[in-house]
Amino acid sequence: MKKFRKVLDGLSSSSPGVVASPSCGSAAGTPTAHAPTPLDIHVQETLVSENFHLCKTVRHGFPYQPTCLAFDPVQKILAIGSRTGGIRILGRPGVDCYSQHESGAAVLQLQFLINEGALVTACADDTLHLWNLRQRRPAILHSLKFNRERITFCHLPFQSKWLYVGTERGNTHIVNIESFVLSGYVIMWNKAIELATKTHPGPVVHLSDSPKDEGKLLIGFESGTVVQWDLRAKKVDFRIYYDEAIHSVSWHHEGKQFMCSHSDGSLTVWNLRNTTRPIQVTYPHGKILKDGRKESCKPILKVEYKTSRNSSEPYVIFSGGLSYDKAGGRRPTLTILHGKAVTVLEMDHPIVEFLVLCDTPYSNEVQDPYAVAVLLEKDFIVVDLTQSNFPIFENPYPMDIHESPVTCTAYFAECPPDIIPILYSIGAKQKKTGYSHKEWPVSGGTWTLGSQTYPEIIVTGHADGTVKFWDASAITLQMLYKLKTSKVFEKPKGGESRSGEMLEEDPYAIQMVSWCPHSRLFCVVGTSAHVILYRFSKHDANTQIVSIEVRLQFDSEDAVSPSETENNPCFPEQGPHSPMQPPSPSSGTPDCLPCLKVKTRPVRMPPGYQAEIVVQLVWVDGVPPQQITSLDINSAYGLLAFGNCNGLAVIDYLQKTVLLCMSTLDLYGAADPYQRLTRSPRKNRQSTSDFCMRGLSHFYSDSKKRIRTSYQSLTELSDNQVSVDMERTKSPTSVAYPSPLHSDPRSTPEPTASLRASHCSPVFYLLDNVKGPGRKLSLPTDLKPDLDHVNGHCTSPTSQPCSTGKPRIPGVPEGPRLTRRGPGRPPFRKAQSAACMEISLPVSSHTEGGYASRRAILQQLHGVSMYSHDEHHTTPYNWSERAESRENSFSRSRSSSVSSIDRDTKEAVTTLQFGESYGRKGEPLPTACLWVGTSLGVVLLLPMSIPAEDEDRMEEPVTIGPSGTIQILKGSVLRFAFLDCGGALIQSPYEVWRDPNGPEDPDRPRRRKLVNFSPWSSQEACVDGHIAVVCSEKQAKVILMPSQVVLFSHNITETSFVLRADMVSICNSVCLACFCANGHVMTLSLPSLRPLMDINYLPLTDMRIARTFVFTNGGQALYLSSPTEIQRITYSQEMADNLQDMLGELFTPIETPEAQNKGFLKGFFGGNTQPFDREELFGEAAAGKASRSLAQHIPGPMGLENMKAAAGGVVGDLARARIALDQRGERLGELEERTALMMNSAEVFSTHAHQVMLKHKDKKWYQL
């Protein structure tokens, strides 16, 4: 508990740190008598460093780049290894564990110690690891590193503690599982083959003991040689030589024959009675051609030979083997041969490995297979073998996250409790049919619902335009609902767009989402510069989608030259910022068209989220619209706001009108904190690719330029200073202040009509570090090094490549337009979230040392792509996994010789937030406001006037207009949040959800029900004001409203920059959570901005992490750890303490099934073998010690003797008690047996003694 009190000496009405706007009017003067001052703010902070602890919780999704598969038939758990060294262990729903090898080496093979709670992994670095699965977090017990040989295959017989390890040299070593040391018993390759053989047999590809005799080991070499080794006699029983290479071997359960798969697509069956040649050779998918030759086939990579009690015919299941001639267009296949029936199952992805699931763990019993687990490159399926049509089981794990590449994520904790059941009910109708009616066969482990559970939802946006809602409660993940945003658009005929050009591969890719769980409003931003607003309804509807087209682009034709300004000092009747009327269809111009075409006919929409409005940015002069960088929606206000590097647009979705469409510069009004100088164009430019920006100075002569140099007012700006109303020097670029209202909703057409809004006001572009005459940004000395611009280009992850406009070349008459991409083709290379957009870095020799490190960070850590204006318009981005490597590399611009002076940087709108606040400095009452943050670190405030009554809201216009600059921060603004004067987080007001298609009651008209969480519920509370928290890439500030005084300021990082920031609630308090580009996760207290946690957690290696990292309430966060997996983490000590109870148990005590009794006759004629004691054969006493240089033992944190004691939780305690009871019972049984033997021995001895006594009873001593 810490109580702080902020004291600012010399506080006056013109407090430093606030840039006032002359448009604020009288309300922008001194605060009212009731306004609070920093002396009055008393907040008790309860958060301390002990409340925070960072750790991983659970990983969801499909294992990325899988390599191997294993299954425990008794415990019924499954393990998947990956190329990155990860292990996923799966059981019943809720039992999902991820572990990682520290080396990161690929996992080559997995071997369960069946029903022992342990797992052996063989990795590509030739190391064996023994994992303990009797605890909720598996840990390595032992490791064995091979130094001179490469591991190729491993085999562990059931109920054996000796592991057979085959190597690349053809040798077979034996490892003791308990001590994890090598045995001195080695099967050398030169002893396994004939001495006359001159060639090496190749690596060991198969090892298995004979089902008939455990003392016989079958060794398969890659060259086609198969050897059965007698372990007791240490010699070869038989050798088999085949011309084709062997890929796998499978025994018949009787141990009299086995089957091999070969590289020519053949299957051979060998009988132990005659090993000179196979008894059967088949080409399942190969035919005999007319000339007598056999069709060449692909290799059969694996075969399984299983028998069934219900059928005399065995199951032969294999992958591959298709004919080369027919397999050109075919998918990977899994073939099931059962008698004369041949079933070929086509897969969507290549098969990595498959396993046949059987009930019995004994290899010498009838197997009775019931399912086939198939591991694909990008999916995992289980086929039901008990039904004739072989259906697949419905997968309970979220393995389809990557069905389309994930482009953005959102995480919502503490959702309304009714939202998850209703999404479940709607989403259940979307599920596919045709699954097996049986339960999921991987049902091992135990999992219970923990005590720390609350509704959580994860939303993922994808490259194909789909949005998925996931139930993330209790650290599980289940699909709730799937939304396809592409259904609101017309499908282009023949793959062509409206302009006759080929469409981009992913024109519907989701860039960012905004969701209000309370009002159930959902809004998505797509890569084609479109925004779609959805409403939730339980009923289907047949409605018309309203299309609104916005012209948010600066036009060179809209600029006003000095001569025009002199003759017409004022603009015509139409304001410079008012939307222009759309051009008539007869004009024939291809401009003013959106990238996609919205369906004009009524659309039938099923229950769920139904599209209501589509807002699209249009092309201007052949230039595509820029990506949208920020979005916010508020159901209580009925407003939608979005911005990009050109400006800001506000939509009234209730009245279906455009309220505001304004450039970023015009938002400043008369209080622009930056001095912008006009710039002369470079002459004799040859192509439009050299023009990223254009300014009004293109049309000015040097003699008419007027340069503003008001450094004095600018140098007075600092982090805590207030700039008084600045006198703007008259210049040819000065424009009148815009009218706050930009459209009259009463004059708009019908809702089904297509509305257009245009922006035709001059826009100033910023250029830093420019030598010579040009448009320049003059900044105060203390702010210059902190702006994230390198050579005039914004290197912030929230900035956009600004390639807009159609420049004119001076002295050259305007001819026909250059060939450009048509308006139907989206120009964007990649859809990203608001805080991690595509970055444009020019190649320039004018790079200062201070910015070189930042540029290197962006290039190396973000995977930034460098491209020219031409590349931006011609190079599409492929969302497929083939392009995954692009995230860690960046391509050079083809116009690398273009210096930075030829390019400018726009000021993008990077974040937006609706809320109740004070629109102007010193206002007595709060109003609805829109907070705007830009890429230059400027915070702007736009107050709004919204009619209160429902009838007036639908008819009266909403007025909105900028009130000036509030604050300037270092770096792009990322996040806003509001606190009351007690330190509690103020939620945005919202409208209570009501079904838009529900039945209406004529007696009770439907009215909007609004909920306001602001602390101004009474007139007395209004004197308290509120606190605004602003976070940028470099800095965080706490501002007291309405006085606009900076209470606290904290520089978050100096060497890096913040990628994601959010104000979250944790432990009944609020803090600021930040994720930086250098991998640090930090938390700061609010409102004092006191550092609470700073952990170097995650090195940022690619753009995917930056694009998908999000925080949420309750101390949780997530990011996309791979293209197919979501990693959830917690930074709350409370949740970390309770994590063990929330995880599932991997091991449960289960009795090992007893082996079947063969019967007397079968055992007699089958040739009962003598018992095989591996300990006696492989132990140190008989085999000696192995060479120390061959392998190195690396002990783990615990030994096998402590393995059983390491199990945690109630189930672990029961398991230990059960094991101890079993051991005690065994010992008592042994004691009883020994006692009985001793009694029998005593009786026999007594009998013999009595007989001897009777025999010699009557004899004399000399007769003995």
Side-chain angles (χ1 to χ4, degrees):
M1 301 289 290
K2 179 180 179 181
K3 193 172 184 179
F4 70 87
R5 183 171 182 174
K6 182 69 178 178
V7 179
L8 295 179
D9 297 330
L11 182 67
S12 61
S13 60
S14 58
S15 300
V18 182
V19 180
S21 172
S23 61
C24 295
S26 60
T30 59
T32 60
H34 299 282
T37 64
L39 299 174
D40 302 326
I41 302 300
H42 298 270
V43 178
Q44 285 188 338
E45 292 188 359
T46 59
L47 291 179
V48 293
S49 299
E50 287 73 19
N51 296 124
F52 296 92
H53 175 74
L54 188 65
C55 66
K56 295 180 179 179
T57 55
V58 69
R59 181 171 293 201
H60 304 296
F62 179 76
Y64 183 54
Q65 296 179 335
T67 55
C68 52
L69 184 67
F71 181 71
D72 188 330
V74 179
Q75 289 289 322
K76 294 189 181 302
I77 58 175
L78 183 138
I80 300 175
S82 70
R83 194 176 303 173
T84 57
I87 305 173
R88 284 285 292 280
I89 303 176
L90 304 172
R92 66 176 67 248
V95 179
D96 188 344
C97 179
Y98 173 81
S99 297
Q100 175 71 37
H101 292 90
E102 292 183 0
S103 63
V107 182
L108 301 180
Q109 195 174 355
L110 298 167
Q111 284 282 330
F112 274 106
L113 276 68
I114 297 177
N115 203 29
E116 294 292 334
L119 175 70
V120 175
T121 60
C123 296
D125 60 351
D126 306 311
T127 305
L128 297 174
H129 303 277
L130 178 64
W131 293 80
N132 176 22
L133 306 184
R134 291 178 178 250
Q135 55 191 47
R136 303 194 183 210
R137 293 274 191 177
I140 294 179
L141 298 171
H142 299 284
S143 297
L144 187 66
K145 170 71 174 176
F146 281 75
N147 298 323
R148 295 185 296 181
E149 298 194 49
R150 307 295 303 273
I151 299 174
T152 57
F153 195 86
C154 298
H155 171 64
L156 180 65
F158 177 52
Q159 292 181 332
S160 170
K161 65 177 182 179
W162 296 95
L163 174 71
Y164 301 111
V165 181
T167 66
E168 192 176 26
R169 293 186 179 180
N171 303 326
T172 302
H173 301 274
I174 303 174
V175 180
N176 187 300
I177 293 297
E178 293 181 350
S179 60
F180 233 59
V181 295
L182 276 177
S183 169
Y185 194 111
V186 183
I187 305 174
M188 305 299 293
W189 67 271
N190 53 359
K191 295 182 180 180
I193 65 174
E194 291 181 341
L195 297 178
T197 305
K198 297 182 180 180
T199 58
H200 191 277
V204 176
V205 296
H206 177 79
L207 290 170
S208 61
D209 51 341
S210 171
K212 188 177 180 180
D213 186 358
E214 295 179 349
K216 309 288 186 180
L217 181 65
L218 193 69
I219 307 174
F221 298 93
E222 189 181 48
S223 62
T225 303
V226 179
V227 174
Q228 179 167 293
W229 181 268
D230 189 337
L231 294 171
R232 302 184 189 89
K234 300 182 181 180
K235 66 177 183 178
V236 175
D237 287 344
F238 63 83
R239 298 181 179 90
I240 293 175
Y241 297 97
Y242 197 70
D243 295 336
E244 298 295 333
I246 290 178
H247 286 281
S248 68
V249 181
S250 181
W251 279 98
H252 189 276
H253 80 276
E254 293 179 351
K256 297 179 180 180
Q257 61 184 18
F258 58 88
M259 182 178 293
C260 300
S261 66
H262 301 276
S263 59
D264 63 344
S266 64
L267 296 174
T268 57
V269 180
W270 302 81
N271 196 298
L272 299 188
R273 293 182 179 179
N274 183 11
T275 58
T276 57
R277 60 179 181 179
I279 62 174
Q280 185 180 4
V281 179
T282 58
Y283 290 82
H285 295 297
K287 297 180 181 179
I288 300 177
L289 303 178
K290 295 181 179 180
D291 57 359
R293 293 184 301 105
K294 292 183 179 179
E295 217 173 10
S296 60
C297 299
K298 292 184 176 182
I300 296 179
L301 301 179
K302 185 175 182 179
V303 64
E304 290 277 4
Y305 192 20
K306 302 297 181 182
T307 54
S308 174
R309 290 189 181 91
N310 300 328
S311 175
S312 60
E313 298 291 341
Y315 283 93
V316 178
I317 304 171
F318 61 90
S319 61
L322 288 179
S323 170
Y324 277 106
D325 298 334
K326 298 179 181 179
R330 284 194 180 182
R331 302 177 183 178
T333 59
L334 182 75
T335 305
I336 302 175
L337 303 179
H338 188 213
K340 296 182 179 180
V342 180
T343 305
V344 180
L345 305 178
E346 290 189 348
M347 304 296 170
D348 294 332
H349 309 285
I351 298 176
V352 176
E353 190 176 354
F354 72 90
L355 291 175
V356 178
L357 308 187
C358 307
D359 285 323
T360 176
Y362 298 96
S363 61
N364 58 353
E365 296 180 356
V366 179
Q367 300 298 294
D368 271 337
Y370 59 88
V372 182
V374 186
L375 179 63
L376 308 177
E377 278 191 0
K378 297 182 180 179
D379 201 359
F380 175 71
I381 63 173
V382 179
V383 181
D384 187 357
L385 291 179
T386 61
Q387 300 184 38
S388 59
N389 58 342
F390 301 123
I392 65 173
F393 290 89
E394 184 177 4
N395 198 327
Y397 315 124
M399 294 289 187
D400 57 345
I401 292 177
H402 63 288
E403 184 178 13
S404 176
V406 178
T407 56
C408 70
T409 57
Y411 195 0
F412 302 91
E414 301 176 357
C415 298
D418 59 336
I419 190 67
I420 291 181
I422 194 170
L423 287 177
Y424 258 126
S425 62
I426 298 297
K429 303 176 183 178
Q430 300 176 336
K431 290 187 177 181
K432 298 178 181 179
T433 58
Y435 292 111
S436 173
H437 58 81
K438 293 189 176 182
E439 293 184 358
W440 180 253
V442 185
S443 57
T446 56
W447 179 77
T448 56
L449 195 64
S451 58
Q452 303 290 328
T453 58
Y454 45 82
E456 299 176 72
I457 291 180
I458 295 174
V459 180
T460 57
H462 300 264
D464 61 353
T466 58
V467 178
K468 295 180 181 180
F469 292 78
W470 306 85
D471 179 10
S473 306
I475 70 172
T476 60
L477 195 69
Q478 294 293 327
M479 168 73 81
L480 285 175
Y481 175 71
K482 183 178 180 179
L483 175 65
K484 296 182 178 180
T485 63
S486 60
K487 289 187 175 181
V488 303
F489 300 105
E490 296 282 0
K491 293 183 179 180
K493 297 181 180 180
E496 293 188 355
S497 65
R498 297 165 64 181
S499 61
E501 296 185 2
M502 294 301 296
L503 273 175
E504 198 77 27
E505 185 173 351
D506 299 306
Y508 312 110
I510 305 300
Q511 191 171 323
M512 67 183 74
V513 298
S514 179
W515 185 44
C516 178
H518 300 279
S519 62
R520 300 182 187 176
L521 275 182
F522 186 64
C523 197
V524 300
V525 172
T527 188
S528 297
H530 62 271
V531 182
I532 309 176
L533 175 64
Y534 290 89
R535 286 183 181 270
F536 187 84
S537 176
K538 297 180 180 179
H539 309 277
D540 56 358
N542 194 7
T543 59
Q544 181 86 30
I545 301 174
V546 178
S547 175
I548 300 178
E549 296 176 2
V550 178
R551 187 174 182 266
L552 190 58
Q553 193 85 302
F554 176 72
D555 233 355
S556 59
E557 288 81 358
D558 297 331
V560 183
S561 65
S563 59
E564 294 173 344
T565 307
E566 292 172 4
N567 298 331
N568 301 291
C570 298
F571 283 93
E573 303 85 1
Q574 191 177 23
H577 307 280
S578 60
M580 294 179 61
Q581 295 299 324
S584 60
S586 60
S587 61
T589 174
D591 293 325
C592 298
L593 290 177
C595 298
L596 302 172
K597 183 180 180 181
V598 181
K599 292 180 179 179
T600 56
R601 64 184 183 279
V603 180
R604 183 188 176 279
M605 301 180 185
Y609 275 102
Q610 302 170 352
E612 180 176 329
I613 298 176
V614 178
V615 183
Q616 292 180 284
L617 300 182
V618 298
W619 287 60
V620 177
D621 291 339
V623 177
Q626 294 298 301
Q627 286 185 343
I628 296 173
T629 59
S630 54
L631 171 73
D632 194 31
I633 186 171
N634 190 279
S635 58
Y637 302 155
L639 299 179
L640 165 69
F642 62 91
N644 62 4
C645 65
N646 286 320
L648 171 69
V650 181
I651 309 297
D652 186 344
Y653 66 80
L654 295 179
Q655 299 183 9
K656 312 296 190 298
T657 59
V658 180
L659 293 181
L660 184 71
C661 184
M662 184 179 291
S663 69
T664 312
L665 177 64
D666 295 331
L667 295 175
Y668 292 107
D672 187 359
Y674 300 113
Q675 297 297 319
R676 309 167 196 264
L677 307 184
T678 57
R679 173 189 171 194
S680 298
R682 174 173 291 189
K683 297 183 179 181
N684 299 327
R685 298 188 181 180
Q686 300 298 325
S687 66
T688 57
S689 64
D690 295 337
F691 289 84
C692 286
M693 303 299 158
R694 63 187 182 278
L696 296 176
S697 58
H698 288 175
F699 310 103
Y700 298 161
S701 62
D702 293 339
S703 61
K704 292 186 178 181
K705 289 184 179 179
R706 300 181 182 181
I707 301 176
R708 295 176 292 177
T709 56
S710 54
Y711 277 96
Q712 182 177 0
S713 60
L714 286 173
T715 52
E716 294 175 356
L717 288 175
S718 65
D719 292 346
N720 299 322
Q721 289 181 339
V722 177
S723 174
V724 297
D725 300 347
M726 294 186 297
E727 284 290 326
R728 296 177 59 89
T729 308
K730 293 182 180 180
S731 70
T733 57
S734 299
V735 294
Y737 184 71
S739 171
L741 184 61
H742 294 274
S743 64
D744 188 355
R746 290 169 292 185
S747 62
T748 56
E750 294 297 324
T752 59
S754 176
L755 304 180
R756 297 176 185 267
S758 62
H759 175 59
C760 56
S761 62
V763 180
F764 296 92
Y765 303 104
L766 308 181
L767 182 65
D768 196 10
N769 300 331
V770 177
K771 298 180 180 180
R775 186 179 300 273
K776 187 174 182 181
L777 168 64
S778 298
L779 293 176
T781 306
D782 57 342
L783 290 181
K784 279 185 179 180
D786 297 311
L787 283 180
D788 300 322
H789 292 268
V790 180
N791 298 329
H793 293 265
C794 183
T795 59
S796 160
T798 56
S799 60
Q800 292 293 299
C802 303
S803 53
T804 63
K806 187 188 72 170
R808 295 181 181 177
I809 302 176
V812 178
E814 184 176 4
R817 289 178 179 168
L818 298 177
T819 302
R820 297 178 183 266
R821 188 200 307 253
R825 186 176 183 184
F828 308 112
R829 306 179 61 193
K830 197 170 186 180
Q832 298 173 355
S833 63
C836 303
M837 308 306 301
E838 195 78 25
I839 306 168
S840 175
L841 289 178
V843 179
S844 172
S845 59
H846 305 287
T847 304
E848 297 182 4
Y851 295 105
S853 61
R854 178 178 174 78
R855 179 171 178 170
I857 290 175
L858 288 169
Q859 291 174 353
Q860 298 174 8
L861 301 185
H862 285 265
V864 175
S865 297
M866 300 176 60
Y867 53 91
S868 65
H869 182 74
D870 287 339
E871 281 186 316
H872 179 63
H873 286 274
T874 58
T875 305
Y877 186 85
N878 187 4
W879 275 106
S880 65
E881 303 306 332
R882 298 175 183 175
E884 181 63 25
S885 60
R886 296 187 185 181
E887 293 190 354
N888 298 324
S889 64
F890 54 95
S891 58
R892 288 284 178 182
S893 170
R894 286 178 288 185
S895 58
S896 59
S897 60
V898 180
S899 66
S900 61
I901 197 172
D902 292 329
R903 303 188 177 195
D904 304 63
T905 300
K906 288 186 179 181
E907 184 177 8
V909 177
T910 56
T911 184
L912 298 167
Q913 180 71 50
F914 285 105
E916 296 286 323
S917 185
Y918 298 88
R920 291 172 177 83
K921 182 178 179 182
E923 277 194 348
L925 297 176
T927 59
C929 294
L930 174 62
W931 287 68
V932 181
T934 72
S935 57
L936 292 186
V938 178
V939 179
L940 301 166
L941 193 59
L942 279 70
M944 299 176 292
S945 176
I946 302 176
E949 299 296 331
D950 284 359
E951 296 78 6
D952 297 338
R953 179 64 184 86
M954 299 303 297
E955 296 179 0
E956 296 295 327
V958 176
T959 59
I960 180 174
S963 63
T965 305
I966 297 297
Q967 274 295 323
I968 300 178
L969 286 82
K970 303 175 184 179
S972 300
V973 181
L974 300 179
R975 193 70 173 88
F976 294 118
F978 309 112
L979 309 176
D980 59 21
C981 290
L985 189 64
I986 304 174
Q987 299 183 19
S988 298
Y990 65 87
E991 176 189 1
V992 178
W993 175 78
R994 57 176 181 173
D995 198 328
N997 301 322
E1000 296 186 5
D1001 188 356
D1003 298 334
R1004 300 180 60 184
R1006 304 175 66 179
R1007 298 180 60 87
R1008 301 175 68 223
K1009 183 180 179 181
L1010 307 182
V1011 177
N1012 194 339
F1013 288 95
S1014 62
W1016 310 294
S1017 57
S1018 64
Q1019 183 67 25
E1020 296 179 357
C1022 293
V1023 300
D1024 291 339
H1026 75 98
I1027 298 172
V1029 182
V1030 186
C1031 183
S1032 71
E1033 293 177 330
K1034 295 280 189 178
Q1035 198 177 32
K1037 287 187 178 182
V1038 175
I1039 306 169
L1040 179 62
M1041 300 296 289
S1043 62
Q1044 301 183 1
V1045 174
V1046 176
L1047 298 180
F1048 300 95
S1049 179
H1050 178 73
N1051 292 329
I1052 300 175
T1053 176
E1054 297 293 343
T1055 59
S1056 183
F1057 55 93
V1058 179
L1059 288 170
R1060 187 71 57 145
D1062 207 345
M1063 291 71 176
V1064 295
S1065 61
I1066 178 174
C1067 299
N1068 299 321
S1069 188
V1070 185
C1071 71
L1072 171 61
C1074 302
F1075 173 59
C1076 298
N1078 57 7
H1080 284 248
V1081 177
M1082 296 181 287
T1083 56
L1084 304 173
S1085 66
L1086 290 177
S1088 66
L1089 298 178
R1090 176 172 42 88
L1092 296 173
M1093 181 187 70
D1094 186 356
I1095 297 177
N1096 188 5
Y1097 164 69
L1098 183 68
L1100 188 62
T1101 55
D1102 51 51
M1103 194 66 181
R1104 183 196 326 109
I1105 298 175
R1107 190 175 63 242
T1108 57
F1109 197 103
V1110 289
F1111 292 100
T1112 190
N1113 295 329
Q1116 296 193 75
L1118 66 82
Y1119 59 93
L1120 214 64
S1121 58
S1122 71
T1124 62
E1125 295 170 291
I1126 291 177
Q1127 177 68 58
R1128 293 167 66 178
I1129 64 174
T1130 180
Y1131 48 94
S1132 168
Q1133 181 67 57
E1134 181 182 2
M1135 185 172 183
D1137 294 339
N1138 297 324
L1139 184 60
Q1140 288 294 327
D1141 297 334
M1142 302 171 68
L1143 297 175
E1145 289 275 2
L1146 299 175
F1147 178 79
T1148 54
I1150 299 176
E1151 292 288 342
T1152 302
E1154 296 182 358
Q1156 296 178 358
N1157 188 5
K1158 295 182 179 180
F1160 173 76
L1161 292 178
K1162 191 171 183 180
F1164 180 79
F1165 292 104
N1168 277 331
T1169 60
Q1170 56 184 337
F1172 178 58
D1173 188 357
R1174 294 186 178 90
E1175 180 67 30
E1176 182 181 351
L1177 193 61
F1178 302 144
E1180 184 177 340
K1185 293 183 178 181
S1187 174
R1188 294 183 178 181
S1189 61
L1190 182 61
Q1192 177 186 0
H1193 176 252
I1194 305 173
M1198 60 184 71
L1200 189 62
E1201 60 276 6
N1202 299 326
M1203 176 178 165
K1204 297 177 182 180
V1210 178
V1211 176
D1213 296 338
L1214 293 176
R1216 290 196 299 270
R1218 180 65 177 272
I1219 292 171
L1221 185 61
D1222 292 342
Q1223 292 177 349
R1224 184 169 180 264
E1226 292 175 359
R1227 292 172 181 173
L1228 289 176
E1230 293 176 357
L1231 180 61
E1232 184 178 358
E1233 292 175 358
R1234 291 177 182 177
T1235 304
L1237 290 174
M1238 292 178 65
M1239 291 178 63
N1240 292 334
S1241 177
E1243 289 178 359
V1244 170
F1245 180 78
S1246 175
T1247 303
H1248 284 293
H1250 185 67
Q1251 291 176 354
V1252 171
M1253 184 269 296
L1254 293 177
K1255 182 178 179 180
H1256 300 286
K1257 178 180 179 181
D1258 297 330
K1259 291 184 179 182
K1260 303 295 181 180
W1261 63 271
Y1262 52 85
Q1263 293 178 336
L1264 297 177

